[in-house]
Amino acid sequence: MSRETSHDKIRVAARLANGFALDLVKMVGFGRDVIDGLLIAAISQANVAQISRDPALQRAFATLNRPPHDDLRRPVSISAVANSLSVPFETARRRIQTLVEQGIVLNVGRGVILPQAPLNSPFYRMAATANYNLIRDLYFRLRAIGLLTSLPRPTGPAFTADDPPVRLVIRMSTDYLLRLAEHTSRLIGDVVTTLIMMDLFQANTAHLPDTIGGAARDGWDSGSFVPDGLRQAVRIATLSERLGIPQETVRRHLGRLVAKGFCVKTPDGYLIPSEALAHKGFVRLMEDNRSHLQRLFASLSEFGVVAEWESEVIRVRGAA
């Protein structure tokens, strides 16, 4: 992406990426709440970090039919997971222990792993395919607004259409998710408030078309953002249902966001106003997100994933 990317496109990209990240963390959680979903994502990524760093291993375990063996998964301590997400140790310990008791996570003494069995279940395979489709949709939506126009060419053999690199895409997109959550949590203060803030932003703006992102090059003042009148306020009960978090917890964390000036309470519910989004911390997040998206899709392009998506479009058009 060029340094000259217009501000409206950067804002739309942030909106799309935020929605993608939330959908992903909800899928990763095996039907549990978003906090467990983020813990599971962090454990899984730590387990397969050596695969993510090795292009040959990425390819070897790229598809749904090739899950990494348990002996390739490196255990991660609960304290390391808690630190990586800025979650209190006791919260992480209690929740991970429940995941162990339910057979989702395995305690191997030196730490915990997400074993192969749950990652090869019919439920996981369905969720993984949905994840793959989500990031493909994100690619085409970003491309449609004029981003991702200079991606590198593939550097290896192509994957087949009937066995796409679903696991490879999940690992790369989860890296992106965790990076986004980490950077946002630094600004917001803790991961639970961060997830609620992200879902509030999504609920306020999900109805907006991708063509609306505010002013193109009028700086980052509040007047350059999408007008507050175009955002839709959301109630606590709705956020609670969307996130799987108790209403009282949502209410408490929204109170913290209001106190910080990051959102406001209106007669119709809660809203993140343009004035809050113009905060230098959020502007930095949006600008950094542009680079993170470029890095993510450049890597996917090098592995031939983007070329396969483009070929699918050509095949569909040909069939029509």
Side-chain angles (χ1 to χ4, degrees), residues 44 48 51-52 54-73 114-121 124-125 128-129 159-160 162-171:
S44 179
V48 298
I51 296 175
S52 298
D54 187 327
L57 290 176
Q58 281 279 47
R59 282 192 172 276
F61 301 104
T63 70
L64 272 179
N65 295 323
R66 290 296 309 277
H69 306 299
D70 286 351
D71 58 5
L72 283 174
R73 304 180 194 275
L114 200 62
Q116 179 179 336
L119 296 178
N120 208 29
S121 66
Y124 175 82
R125 294 171 74 91
T129 300
F159 294 96
T160 61
D162 59 348
D163 195 17
V166 172
R167 293 184 189 274
L168 180 151
V169 169
I170 289 176
R171 287 192 292 268

Coordinates of all heavy atoms in Angstrom, one line a residue, residues 44 48 51-52 54-73 114-121 124-125 128-129 159-160 162-171:
S44 N -3.0 -21.5 20.6 CA -2.7 -22.2 19.3 C -1.6 -21.5 18.5 O -0.7 -22.3 18.0 CB -4.0 -22.1 18.4 OG -3.8 -22.8 17.2
V48 N 2.3 -23.3 17.5 CA 2.8 -23.5 16.1 C 3.7 -22.4 15.6 O 3.8 -22.2 14.4 CB 1.6 -23.7 15.2 CG1 0.8 -24.9 15.6 CG2 0.7 -22.5 15.1
I51 N 6.2 -23.3 13.1 CA 5.6 -23.6 11.8 C 5.4 -22.3 11.0 O 5.7 -22.2 9.8 CB 4.3 -24.4 11.9 CG1 4.6 -25.8 12.5 CG2 3.6 -24.5 10.5 CD1 3.3 -26.6 12.7
S52 N 4.9 -21.3 11.7 CA 4.6 -20.0 11.1 C 5.9 -19.3 10.6 O 5.9 -18.6 9.7 CB 3.9 -19.1 12.1 OG 2.7 -19.6 12.5
D54 N 8.6 -20.9 9.4 CA 9.3 -21.8 8.4 C 8.4 -22.0 7.2 O 7.4 -22.7 7.3 CB 9.6 -23.1 9.1 CG 10.4 -24.0 8.2 OD1 10.3 -24.0 7.0 OD2 11.2 -24.8 8.8
P55 N 8.7 -21.4 6.1 CA 7.9 -21.5 4.9 C 7.7 -22.9 4.4 O 6.6 -23.3 4.0 CB 8.7 -20.7 3.8 CG 9.5 -19.7 4.6 CD 9.9 -20.4 5.8
A56 N 8.7 -23.8 4.6 CA 8.5 -25.2 4.2 C 7.4 -25.9 5.1 O 6.6 -26.6 4.6 CB 9.8 -25.9 4.3
L57 N 7.5 -25.6 6.4 CA 6.5 -26.2 7.3 C 5.1 -25.6 7.1 O 4.1 -26.3 7.2 CB 6.9 -26.0 8.8 CG 8.1 -26.8 9.2 CD1 8.5 -26.5 10.7 CD2 7.8 -28.3 9.1
Q58 N 5.1 -24.3 6.7 CA 3.8 -23.7 6.4 C 3.1 -24.4 5.3 O 1.9 -24.7 5.3 CB 4.0 -22.2 6.0 CG 4.2 -21.2 7.2 CD 2.9 -20.8 7.8 OE1 2.0 -21.7 8.1 NE2 2.7 -19.6 8.1
R59 N 3.9 -24.7 4.3 CA 3.3 -25.4 3.1 C 3.0 -26.9 3.5 O 2.0 -27.4 3.0 CB 4.3 -25.4 1.9 CG 4.3 -24.1 1.2 CD 5.1 -24.2 -0.1 NE 4.9 -23.0 -0.9 CZ 3.9 -22.7 -1.7 NH1 2.9 -23.6 -1.8 NH2 3.8 -21.6 -2.3
A60 N 3.8 -27.5 4.2 CA 3.6 -28.9 4.6 C 2.3 -29.1 5.3 O 1.7 -30.2 5.2 CB 4.8 -29.5 5.4
F61 N 2.0 -28.2 6.2 CA 0.8 -28.3 7.0 C -0.2 -27.1 6.6 O -0.7 -26.4 7.5 CB 1.1 -28.3 8.5 CG 2.1 -29.4 8.8 CD1 3.4 -29.1 9.1 CD2 1.6 -30.7 9.0 CE1 4.3 -30.1 9.4 CE2 2.5 -31.7 9.3 CZ 3.8 -31.4 9.5
A62 N -0.5 -27.0 5.4 CA -1.3 -25.8 4.9 C -2.7 -26.1 4.8 O -3.6 -25.2 5.0 CB -0.7 -25.4 3.5
T63 N -3.1 -27.4 4.5 CA -4.5 -27.7 4.2 C -5.2 -28.3 5.4 O -4.6 -28.8 6.3 CB -4.6 -28.6 3.0 OG1 -4.1 -29.9 3.3 CG2 -3.8 -28.0 1.8
L64 N -6.5 -28.4 5.3 CA -7.3 -29.0 6.3 C -7.0 -30.5 6.5 O -7.0 -31.0 7.7 CB -8.8 -28.9 6.0 CG -9.5 -27.7 6.5 CD1 -11.0 -27.7 6.1 CD2 -9.5 -27.5 8.0
N65 N -6.5 -31.1 5.5 CA -6.2 -32.6 5.6 C -4.8 -32.8 6.1 O -4.4 -34.0 6.2 CB -6.4 -33.2 4.2 CG -7.8 -33.2 3.7 OD1 -8.7 -33.3 4.5 ND2 -8.0 -33.0 2.4
R66 N -4.1 -31.8 6.4 CA -2.7 -31.9 7.0 C -2.5 -31.1 8.2 O -1.8 -30.1 8.3 CB -1.7 -31.5 5.9 CG -1.6 -32.4 4.7 CD -1.0 -33.8 5.1 NE 0.2 -33.7 5.9 CZ 1.4 -33.6 5.4 NH1 1.6 -33.5 4.1 NH2 2.5 -33.6 6.2
P67 N -3.2 -31.5 9.4 CA -3.0 -30.8 10.6 C -1.6 -31.1 11.2 O -1.1 -32.3 11.0 CB -4.1 -31.4 11.5 CG -4.3 -32.7 11.0 CD -4.2 -32.6 9.5
P68 N -0.9 -30.2 11.8 CA 0.4 -30.4 12.4 C 0.2 -31.5 13.6 O -0.7 -31.5 14.3 CB 0.8 -29.1 13.0 CG 0.0 -28.1 12.3 CD -1.3 -28.8 11.9
H69 N 1.2 -32.4 13.7 CA 1.2 -33.4 14.7 C 1.4 -32.7 16.1 O 2.0 -31.7 16.2 CB 2.2 -34.5 14.4 CG 2.1 -35.1 13.1 ND1 1.0 -35.8 12.7 CD2 3.0 -35.1 12.0 CE1 1.1 -36.2 11.4 NE2 2.3 -35.8 11.0
D70 N 0.9 -33.4 17.1 CA 1.1 -32.8 18.5 C 2.5 -32.6 18.8 O 2.9 -31.7 19.6 CB 0.4 -33.7 19.5 CG -1.1 -33.6 19.4 OD1 -1.6 -32.7 18.7 OD2 -1.8 -34.4 20.1
D71 N 3.4 -33.5 18.3 CA 4.8 -33.4 18.7 C 5.5 -32.1 18.0 O 6.6 -31.8 18.4 CB 5.6 -34.6 18.4 CG 5.6 -35.0 16.9 OD1 5.0 -34.2 16.1 OD2 6.1 -36.1 16.5
L72 N 4.8 -31.5 17.1 CA 5.3 -30.2 16.5 C 4.8 -29.0 17.3 O 5.2 -27.9 17.0 CB 4.8 -30.1 15.1 CG 5.6 -31.0 14.0 CD1 4.9 -30.8 12.7 CD2 7.1 -30.5 14.0
R73 N 3.9 -29.2 18.2 CA 3.3 -28.1 19.0 C 4.1 -27.9 20.2 O 4.3 -28.8 21.0 CB 1.8 -28.4 19.3 CG 1.0 -28.7 18.1 CD -0.5 -29.0 18.5 NE -1.2 -29.6 17.4 CZ -1.8 -28.9 16.5 NH1 -1.7 -27.6 16.5 NH2 -2.4 -29.5 15.5
L114 N -3.0 -26.8 22.2 CA -4.3 -27.1 21.6 C -4.0 -28.4 20.8 O -3.4 -28.3 19.7 CB -4.7 -26.0 20.8 CG -6.2 -25.9 20.4 CD1 -7.1 -25.7 21.6 CD2 -6.5 -24.7 19.4
P115 N -4.4 -29.6 21.2 CA -4.0 -30.8 20.5 C -4.7 -31.0 19.2 O -5.7 -30.2 18.8 CB -4.5 -31.9 21.5 CG -5.6 -31.3 22.3 CD -5.3 -29.8 22.4
Q116 N -4.2 -31.9 18.4 CA -4.7 -32.2 17.1 C -6.2 -32.5 17.0 O -6.9 -32.1 16.1 CB -3.8 -33.2 16.4 CG -4.3 -33.6 15.0 CD -3.4 -34.6 14.4 OE1 -2.2 -34.8 14.8 NE2 -3.9 -35.3 13.4
A117 N -6.6 -33.3 18.0 CA -8.0 -33.9 17.9 C -9.1 -32.8 17.7 O -9.9 -32.9 16.8 CB -8.3 -34.8 19.1
P118 N -9.1 -31.8 18.6 CA -10.2 -30.8 18.4 C -10.0 -30.0 17.1 O -10.9 -29.5 16.5 CB -10.0 -29.8 19.6 CG -9.3 -30.6 20.6 CD -8.4 -31.5 19.8
L119 N -8.7 -29.9 16.6 CA -8.4 -29.2 15.4 C -8.7 -30.0 14.1 O -8.4 -29.5 13.0 CB -7.0 -28.7 15.4 CG -6.6 -27.7 16.5 CD1 -5.2 -27.3 16.5 CD2 -7.5 -26.4 16.4
N120 N -9.2 -31.2 14.3 CA -9.6 -32.0 13.2 C -11.0 -32.5 13.2 O -11.4 -33.3 12.5 CB -8.6 -33.2 13.1 CG -8.5 -33.7 11.6 OD1 -8.5 -33.0 10.7 ND2 -8.2 -35.0 11.5
S121 N -11.7 -31.9 14.2 CA -13.1 -32.3 14.4 C -14.0 -31.6 13.3 O -13.6 -30.7 12.7 CB -13.6 -31.8 15.8 OG -13.7 -30.3 15.8
Y124 N -14.6 -28.0 14.0 CA -13.4 -27.1 13.7 C -13.3 -26.9 12.1 O -13.0 -25.8 11.6 CB -12.2 -27.7 14.2 CG -10.9 -26.9 13.8 CD1 -10.6 -25.7 14.5 CD2 -10.2 -27.3 12.7 CE1 -9.5 -24.9 14.1 CE2 -9.1 -26.5 12.3 CZ -8.8 -25.4 13.0 OH -7.7 -24.6 12.6
R125 N -13.4 -28.0 11.4 CA -13.3 -28.0 10.0 C -14.3 -27.0 9.3 O -14.0 -26.3 8.4 CB -13.3 -29.4 9.4 CG -12.2 -30.3 9.8 CD -12.4 -31.7 9.3 NE -12.2 -31.9 7.9 CZ -11.1 -32.2 7.4 NH1 -10.0 -32.4 8.1 NH2 -10.9 -32.3 6.1
A128 N -13.2 -23.5 10.3 CA -11.9 -23.1 9.6 C -12.2 -22.7 8.2 O -11.7 -21.8 7.7 CB -11.0 -24.3 9.6
T129 N -13.1 -23.5 7.6 CA -13.5 -23.1 6.2 C -14.2 -21.8 6.2 O -14.0 -20.9 5.3 CB -14.5 -24.2 5.6 OG1 -13.8 -25.5 5.6 CG2 -14.9 -23.9 4.2
F159 N -1.6 -24.2 -4.8 CA -2.5 -25.2 -4.1 C -3.6 -25.6 -5.0 O -4.0 -24.8 -6.0 CB -3.0 -24.6 -2.8 CG -2.0 -24.4 -1.8 CD1 -1.4 -23.1 -1.6 CD2 -1.5 -25.4 -1.0 CE1 -0.4 -22.9 -0.7 CE2 -0.5 -25.2 0.0 CZ 0.0 -23.9 0.1
T160 N -4.3 -26.7 -4.8 CA -5.4 -27.1 -5.6 C -6.7 -26.5 -5.1 O -6.8 -26.3 -3.9 CB -5.5 -28.7 -5.6 OG1 -5.7 -29.1 -4.3 CG2 -4.2 -29.3 -6.2
D162 N -9.5 -28.0 -4.8 CA -10.3 -28.9 -4.0 C -9.7 -29.1 -2.6 O -10.3 -29.8 -1.8 CB -10.6 -30.2 -4.7 CG -9.3 -30.9 -5.1 OD1 -8.2 -30.2 -5.0 OD2 -9.3 -32.1 -5.5
D163 N -8.5 -28.6 -2.4 CA -7.8 -28.8 -1.1 C -7.0 -27.5 -0.8 O -5.8 -27.5 -0.7 CB -6.9 -30.0 -1.1 CG -6.5 -30.4 0.3 OD1 -7.1 -30.0 1.3 OD2 -5.5 -31.1 0.5
P164 N -7.8 -26.4 -0.5 CA -7.1 -25.1 -0.3 C -6.3 -25.0 1.0 O -6.5 -25.8 1.9 CB -8.3 -24.1 -0.3 CG -9.4 -24.9 0.1 CD -9.2 -26.3 -0.4
P165 N -5.4 -24.0 1.1 CA -4.5 -23.9 2.2 C -5.2 -23.3 3.4 O -4.8 -22.2 3.9 CB -3.4 -23.0 1.7 CG -4.1 -22.1 0.7 CD -5.1 -23.0 0.0
V166 N -6.3 -23.9 3.9 CA -7.1 -23.3 5.0 C -6.3 -23.1 6.3 O -6.4 -22.1 6.9 CB -8.3 -24.2 5.2 CG1 -9.1 -23.7 6.5 CG2 -9.2 -24.2 4.0
R167 N -5.5 -24.1 6.7 CA -4.8 -24.0 7.9 C -3.7 -22.9 7.8 O -3.4 -22.2 8.8 CB -4.1 -25.3 8.3 CG -5.2 -26.4 8.7 CD -4.5 -27.7 9.2 NE -5.5 -28.7 9.3 CZ -6.3 -28.9 10.4 NH1 -6.2 -28.1 11.5 NH2 -7.2 -29.9 10.4
L168 N -3.0 -22.8 6.7 CA -2.0 -21.8 6.5 C -2.7 -20.4 6.7 O -2.1 -19.5 7.3 CB -1.4 -21.9 5.1 CG -0.3 -20.9 4.7 CD1 0.7 -21.6 3.8 CD2 -0.9 -19.7 4.1
V169 N -3.8 -20.2 6.0 CA -4.5 -18.9 6.1 C -5.0 -18.6 7.5 O -4.9 -17.5 8.0 CB -5.8 -18.9 5.2 CG1 -6.7 -17.7 5.4 CG2 -5.3 -18.9 3.7
I170 N -5.4 -19.6 8.3 CA -5.8 -19.4 9.7 C -4.6 -19.0 10.5 O -4.7 -18.0 11.3 CB -6.4 -20.7 10.3 CG1 -7.8 -21.0 9.6 CG2 -6.5 -20.6 11.8 CD1 -8.4 -22.3 10.1
R171 N -3.5 -19.6 10.3 CA -2.3 -19.2 11.1 C -1.9 -17.8 10.8 O -1.6 -17.0 11.7 CB -1.1 -20.2 10.8 CG -1.3 -21.5 11.4 CD 0.0 -22.3 11.4 NE 0.4 -22.7 10.0 CZ 0.0 -23.8 9.4 NH1 -0.7 -24.7 10.0 NH2 0.4 -24.1 8.1

